[in-house]
Amino acid sequence: DLTLGYGLENIGMGAFANCRALTTVTIPDSVTNIEMMAFVGCTSIHTMTLPSGLTELTTNMLCGCEPLRDIVIPDSVRKICSGALASTSLVNVIVPEGVEIIEGSAFGSCHSLTSITLPSTLVSIGSGPFNDSESLETIYIKATVPPAIEGQLSDKTGIVVYVPFEAENAYQNAP
């Protein structure tokens, strides 16, 4: 178990990369920045508490943390970067209101992911954020204005995408 001390503001790039013995990580609310690949390859993490002031889930931040099944993304997060939660065992994800950008491959290779709810604040989705997530069945998008999507949401076919009823025409006519 790892509990970081209050007062810490930044976790550096790759700070705990490949620490395979880490199972539980508690990060204090004083942390406002977790740099890219901070926990990449930590193959035993199953529980992580993220700080409430975090504004970005950085590139490959938790990539490869395979036992991680549940995570609460703080309301302060505005951007989920490429590979941030890739190759985890997340099952049902609710992306909080306030998130505006989800980059490509953000949830790639999440083989246990069955559903994801995207917020009304979402304005941009990168290419293939859910690629190689073969269990994904349902995507709920709360945004009444269709977010800009670079390419496809997933390489899997048959995913049911729900959008607000009042926005159905806008989604059908979106580029």
Side-chain angles (χ1 to χ4, degrees):
D1 290 4
L2 174 66
T3 300
L4 300 172
Y6 193 82
L8 181 68
E9 296 176 1
N10 182 64
I11 298 174
M13 183 171 82
F16 299 99
N18 299 310
C19 289
R20 290 178 177 87
L22 283 179
T23 58
T24 301
V25 179
T26 302
I27 302 171
D29 286 340
S30 60
V31 172
T32 56
N33 184 43
I34 300 174
E35 294 183 23
M36 61 190 294
M37 301 186 302
F39 295 94
V40 68
C42 293
T43 55
S44 297
I45 290 179
H46 57 81
T47 304
M48 175 167 287
T49 303
L50 294 173
S52 62
L54 199 61
T55 59
E56 187 173 308
L57 301 186
T58 56
T59 301
N60 294 330
M61 187 174 105
L62 292 165
C63 182
C65 296
E66 294 165 8
L68 187 63
R69 295 185 55 80
D70 254 333
I71 194 161
V72 176
I73 301 170
D75 292 340
S76 56
V77 171
R78 299 293 171 257
K79 181 178 182 181
I80 301 174
C81 295
S82 178
L85 295 166
S87 298
T88 60
S89 293
L90 297 173
V91 178
N92 297 306
V93 175
I94 298 174
V95 177
E97 292 297 321
V99 172
E100 298 172 350
I101 299 167
I102 297 176
E103 291 186 348
S105 302
F107 296 89
S109 298
C110 288
H111 302 296
S112 301
L113 185 64
T114 59
S115 73
I116 187 159
T117 301
L118 304 177
S120 65
T121 52
L122 193 61
V123 295
S124 176
I125 302 174
S127 182
F130 311 111
N131 277 352
D132 199 26
S133 296
E134 66 268 1
S135 297
L136 186 60
E137 298 171 356
T138 312
I139 300 173
Y140 299 91
I141 304 176
K142 293 181 177 180
T144 55
V145 175
I149 301 173
E150 300 173 21
Q152 61 189 19
L153 291 175
S154 175
D155 54 1
K156 180 185 182 231
T157 58
I159 298 171
V160 178
V161 178
Y162 292 95
V163 299
F165 177 76
E166 66 274 14
E168 195 172 295
N169 286 336
Y171 277 87
Q172 289 174 346
N173 297 319

